Amino acid sequence: MKETLVVDVSTPGAIEQAAEVIRAGGLVAFPTETVYGLGADACNPTSVARIFEAKRRPSFDPLIVHVADSNSASFYGDLSGEVARRLTEAFWPGPLTLVVSKTSRVPPIVTAGLDTVGLRVPAHPAALALIRAANRGIAAPSANPFGYVSPTNARHVAEQLRGRVDLILDGGDCPVGVESTILALTAARPVILRLGGVPPEQLERVLGPIERFVGNVARPQAPGQLTRHYATHTPLQISKGNELELEIRPGERVGLITLSPPQCRHRFVAVEVLSESGDLREAAANLFAALRRLDSLCLDRLVALPVPEIDLGMAIMDRLRRCAVPWEDDPAMP
Ligand code: TXA
Ligand code: MG
C-alpha cells in the first residue's frame, strides 16, 4: 500500500501540488459542491484505469469529465445545441451533468465505450482551481468504493480509500451533499438519468416538462440507476408512518434517520436529524454523513422517515430508496 497525502486546500501551494499529481498521471480526491470526486487526467487512459481499480468499480460504468467552463467542455463533447446553451448558461458552474455526444479526444475508458460523455463544471472554488491549474479535464466518479454512500468530507474519503489515492485535497464539507443531476441531451427531448443537486422543477423552469428515465437495472445507463446503490452495510428501511408506529423487537438496536426532530427518541440507539428546521437543502447536505455515522455503529437496522418529495427532497428520497433495497432483491448486484 502506498502513502496518501492529505493536504488542506488553504495550505499555500496545495492546489498546484494536487494539479502536479494529476498531470503526472496520479489520482487526487478533491472537493466539489456535491460530493468528493476521485480524479485523474481525463485524456490519460492509464490514469483513468486506476480510478476503476481504486473504486473496485465495474468497467461498464462511465465517468463524468469535470471542466472549468463551457468552452473547455466543448473540447470533450458537443454542446452546440440551443438546449445545451440554455442549460449551461443557467446552471454552470453547478450540480448539473450533461450527457452529450463525445468528441474523439475522450478515451473510450472514460465513457465505458459509449459515444456519449457526461460533462460538468463544478461550483466549488477548489475544484475549479484544480482543473485550471492542471489545465485539463478531470475524469472523476464519487470518491467511495463502488456502491457505497458518497463522501461529503475528506475524512470519509480517507477512511475508505487511503493507500489507493495519491493525494486527498481537504476542502471541508460539501455544501450540496447529493451528487449532480444527470440530464441526457442525446435524444429528441432531454431526459433525467439521475435526480440530484438541481431539482427537476428548476430544470423545467428553463426547459419546460422533462422526462424521467425509468431504468433497466440489468443495463443501467447510469449506476445511479442501479436499484441498490449509495448503500449502507446496515440494512435500511423507509418507514411508512411516523416513528411512533414503528415496531421494534425487545433488544433490537435501531437507528433513526429523520428530516425533523422525532417526537420520541428513546426507542432508538441513535437518531440523526437531517435539519432541525426541516430545511431540505440542509438535509441533503447532511444526508450521506448521517448515513455513515449510523452505519459505523453496527446497529441491527436503520429506519428512515420519508421526506417531502419536492425540490431536493426528490434526490434525498431517491438515495434512501436505493439504499433500502435488500441485496438479494437486486438482479444487478452479485
Ligand atoms: O456530483 C457528481 O456528479 C459527482 C462529483 C464528483 O462530480 N460525481 C459522481 O460521479 O457522482 P459517479 O461516477 O459516482 O456518478 C456518475 C454517474 C454514473 O452513474 C454514470 O453512469 C453516469 O454518471 N454517467 C457518466 N457518463 C455517462 C454517459 N455518457 N451516459 C450515461 N450516464 C453517464
Ligand atoms: Mg458514485
Side-chain angles (χ1 to χ4, degrees):
M1 227 193 220
K2 64 187 168 92
E3 210 178 310
T4 298
L5 285 171
V6 181
V7 182
D8 195 286
V9 285
S10 62
T11 312
I15 296 289
E16 190 42 50
Q17 187 183 1
E20 185 45 42
V21 172
I22 296 281
R23 284 194 296 265
L27 297 189
V28 173
F30 63 98
T32 80
E33 77 280 29
T34 58
V35 301
Y36 274 67
L38 178 61
D41 178 350
C43 289
N44 181 336
T46 315
S47 309
V48 174
R50 289 186 56 206
I51 295 178
F52 291 99
E53 215 177 3
K55 274 190 70 110
R56 303 199 170 92
R57 185 175 216 190
S59 51
F60 59 68
D61 190 355
L63 304 177
I64 295 170
V65 177
H66 298 70
V67 288
D69 50 43
S70 311
N71 261 350
S72 13
S74 307
F75 187 80
Y76 300 103
D78 177 10
L79 290 163
S80 60
E82 168 65 13
V83 172
R85 192 190 55 75
R86 297 213 326 249
L87 288 165
T88 56
E89 262 173 27
F91 299 108
W92 279 2
L96 176 67
T97 296
L98 295 178
V99 171
V100 297
S101 302
K102 79 175 197 70
T103 66
S104 59
R105 287 152 187 142
V106 186
I109 187 167
V110 172
T111 63
L114 298 175
D115 54 11
T116 59
V117 62
L119 296 171
R120 156 163 139 77
V121 178
H124 197 291
L128 286 173
L130 175 65
I131 297 163
R132 292 209 176 96
N135 196 23
R136 62 203 65 199
I138 296 182
S142 51
N144 51 278
F146 181 72
Y148 196 70
V149 180
S150 294
T152 52
N153 62 40
R155 192 169 31 81
H156 294 161
V157 180
E159 278 165 8
Q160 293 187 305
L161 296 182
R162 197 182 278 283
R164 306 180 147 260
V165 37
D166 299 297
L167 190 146
I168 300 172
L169 204 48
D170 184 350
D173 291 332
C174 299
V176 175
V178 288
E179 300 83 351
S180 61
T181 299
I182 303 181
L183 187 70
L185 300 184
T186 46
R189 297 175 58 78
V191 181
I192 296 177
L193 299 184
R194 177 176 75 183
L195 291 162
V198 177
E201 295 96 323
Q202 282 189 28
L203 293 174
E204 290 186 336
R205 244 172 261 150
V206 174
L207 296 181
I210 303 177
E211 260 176 75
R212 305 271 169 81
F213 178 81
V214 184
N216 168 357
V217 289
R219 290 187 64 82
Q221 284 196 33
Q225 296 162 354
L226 288 173
T227 313
R228 185 169 167 98
H229 203 73
Y230 311 109
T232 49
H233 300 302
T234 315
L236 179 142
Q237 293 166 321
I238 300 176
S239 161
K240 294 210 166 49
N242 70 24
E243 89 275 2
L244 299 174
E245 299 159 36
L246 217 104
E247 276 181 39
I248 298 178
R249 291 190 303 277
E252 194 185 17
R253 301 174 73 240
V254 180
L256 183 73
I257 188 156
T258 160
L259 175 60
S260 318
Q263 295 172 49
C264 166
R265 282 178 179 257
H266 72 266
R267 300 166 70 214
F268 303 96
V269 175
V271 175
E272 287 286 349
V273 176
L274 296 176
S275 166
E276 289 290 335
S277 63
D279 178 63
L280 289 170
R281 220 168 250 278
E282 188 186 5
N286 289 331
L287 177 67
F288 288 150
L291 285 171
R292 280 170 184 263
R293 278 192 295 272
L294 288 178
D295 206 17
S296 71
L297 300 175
C298 301
L299 303 177
D300 298 318
R301 183 156 63 106
L302 307 180
V303 174
L305 302 185
V307 311
E309 292 200 63
I310 47 162
D311 296 321
L312 285 176
M314 273 189 259
I316 295 173
M317 283 307 290
D318 173 80
R319 301 307 186 269
L320 287 173
R321 287 198 183 100
R322 288 178 203 283
C323 192
V325 177
W327 289 101
E328 57 269 24
D329 286 0
D330 186 345
M333 298 304 282

